[in-house]
Amino acid sequence: MDKNELKQKIQELKQQRKAVIVAHNYQHDDVQEIADVVGDSFALSKYCATTDAEVVVFCGVHFMAESAKILSPEKTVLLPEIDAGCPMADMVTAEALREEKKKYPDAAVVCYINSSAEVKAECDVCCTSSNAVNVIKSIKEKDILFVPDQNLGHYISKLVPEKNIIFWKGFCITHHKIKTDEVEKMKKLHPDALLLIHPECRPELVEMADFVGSTKQIIDYANSSENSKFIIGTEMGVLYKLKKENPDKTFYLMSQGLLCPNMKKTSLESVYNSLNEMKYQIELDEDVRVRAAKALERMLQVG
Ligand code: CIZ
Ligand code: SF4
């Protein structure tokens, strides 16, 4: 099938299945193009919880589809590529976290949404890169065990110095590998461009930024900025929305290395197969789901 035929078939199957297609900001352009909603994991999970569709095709990575299922257990949640995982989420297991918690019995336990349902079930509250600072400020405990992203943890600790954040040593393989020399070169090449960076980047890069935020916050910032040139320090998929929403502005990717291979596993073909064969369905242990839902719902209350 060629691309147009695939898109046509996807639309037909979507109607038949009473499905919606949601895509993360890091997905391939053509997957973002056919999606009903494109956004970050937080916005997509919230959307999935409110839609009356019976089936959700989640074009993203495993923890995101799980988060949708945690909040919408009555829906069928499909992940088109079952091997699309997040190496950062895999850097903490529920078992390792239970051991670490024993060392800090008085600490609140907070997990980045980039974590498995089992890990979320061990935590008091979740956060995303958009709301991490507000979530941390909302916690009464001074000590906070934060998993799994050390870079996001470091970023929060600078903004909420009254808290004592105990870091896990996880990181995003895509953002963490970018070093300052590459960013300095880009800044020299484009001196009038603003540098917008994701907090999953190393702290020394975050210090160089004009703005730090989640994918959504980076897109919102660029949309409303009077500047016309930007260096984008997050996964290259965001360029699709940035360029579409700002045809008169120029965007440079901070590094050609900013590509998440797991996010790029999903193609139009895999979305078609997913709807056609109703695969791969996310299933969760109900006890884990209920405990993970508490952590996600507490986050939703903060906003
Ligand atoms: O929360 C998300 O969707 C991720 C992984 C990144 C972001 O900043 O949107
Ligand atoms: Fe995980 Fe990084 Fe890929 Fe996001 S970009 S899914 S944190 S590996």
Side-chain angles (χ1 to χ4, degrees):
M1 267 190 274
D2 70 18
K3 256 191 189 178
N4 286 334
E5 241 176 299
L6 263 177
K7 285 184 188 170
Q8 181 65 34
K9 292 264 184 225
I10 289 171
Q11 292 309 324
E12 286 167 18
L13 278 169
K14 209 177 80 172
Q15 305 289 330
Q16 264 176 42
R17 306 284 196 213
K18 297 192 174 56
V20 284
I21 301 173
V22 304
H24 191 266
N25 287 325
Y26 294 161
Q27 289 288 294
H28 281 299
D29 293 3
D30 51 10
V31 173
Q32 293 195 39
E33 209 177 293
I34 54 132
D36 297 288
V37 197
V38 179
D40 60 9
S41 53
F42 178 57
L44 296 179
S45 295
K46 272 208 301 197
Y47 172 80
C48 295
T50 54
T51 170
D52 45 16
E54 291 171 15
V55 176
V56 173
V57 182
F58 208 116
C59 304
V61 292
H62 195 265
F63 77 82
M64 297 179 177
E66 263 190 354
S67 300
K69 182 74 181 174
I70 293 168
L71 294 173
S72 313
E74 71 294 348
K75 295 192 175 98
T76 301
V77 178
L78 303 175
L79 182 69
E81 291 287 340
I82 196 60
D83 292 332
C86 169
M88 183 212 278
D90 294 341
M91 289 177 191
V92 56
T93 62
E95 200 188 342
L97 179 54
R98 278 194 292 271
E99 283 307 305
E100 194 70 4
K101 276 163 67 172
K102 287 183 193 158
K103 292 192 209 157
Y104 306 100
D106 297 328
V109 186
V110 182
C111 63
Y112 190 21
I113 195 159
N114 297 38
S115 53
S116 67
E118 287 80 6
V119 165
K120 289 185 175 81
E122 293 297 327
C123 295
D124 297 304
V125 58
C126 278
C127 72
T128 67
S129 38
S130 302
N131 62 17
V133 169
N134 288 342
V135 167
I136 297 293
K137 282 184 176 165
S138 76
I139 293 169
K140 66 175 193 314
E141 287 88 346
K142 184 174 167 60
D143 293 340
I144 293 168
L145 178 55
F146 184 79
V147 299
D149 188 10
Q150 57 180 304
N151 291 338
L152 181 61
H154 190 275
Y155 173 68
I156 303 167
S157 71
K158 289 265 167 195
L159 292 178
V160 196
E162 63 274 23
K163 298 289 185 193
N164 173 35
I165 304 202
I166 304 145
F167 306 123
W168 197 264
K169 288 278 182 235
F171 56 89
C172 164
I173 51 168
T174 300
H175 289 84
H176 191 75
K177 69 172 182 243
I178 315 301
K179 307 271 177 60
T180 46
D181 50 348
E182 208 174 346
V183 185
E184 272 155 11
K185 264 190 221 151
M186 282 303 283
K187 276 176 73 114
K188 275 207 189 98
L189 268 174
H190 308 290
D192 47 354
L194 293 177
L195 178 61
L196 317 185
I197 281 194
H198 198 281
E200 286 172 18
C201 290
R202 290 168 183 266
E204 55 273 27
L205 263 64
V206 164
E207 268 172 34
M208 297 165 76
D210 295 294
F211 177 76
V212 185
S214 66
T215 55
K216 180 186 182 316
Q217 290 165 336
I218 287 176
I219 294 166
D220 289 349
Y221 184 93
N223 288 0
S224 60
S225 169
E226 301 209 329
N227 219 72
S228 63
K229 292 182 183 165
F230 305 88
I231 300 168
I232 301 299
T234 189
E235 211 273 351
M236 57 175 65
V238 297
L239 294 175
Y240 174 76
K241 227 185 202 180
L242 283 169
K243 287 179 182 168
K244 194 170 130 191
E245 293 178 5
N246 302 280
D248 301 331
K249 295 180 181 174
T250 311
F251 300 97
Y252 310 100
L253 194 63
M254 184 173 76
S255 159
Q256 291 311 310
L258 281 165
L259 182 145
C260 171
N262 281 287
M263 281 285 179
K264 300 306 196 234
K265 283 181 180 161
T266 310
S267 63
L268 286 180
E269 194 139 30
S270 42
V271 175
Y272 168 76
N273 290 334
S274 170
L275 276 165
N276 195 33
E277 296 166 43
M278 292 296 279
K279 66 181 189 186
Y280 294 91
Q281 299 195 17
I282 302 291
E283 301 290 353
L284 294 170
D285 175 86
E286 185 57 10
D287 170 60
V288 167
R289 190 197 69 76
V290 169
R291 289 189 293 132
K294 273 196 197 138
L296 272 174
E297 275 154 13
R298 186 164 158 195
M299 170 183 89
L300 293 173
Q301 280 164 16
V302 177

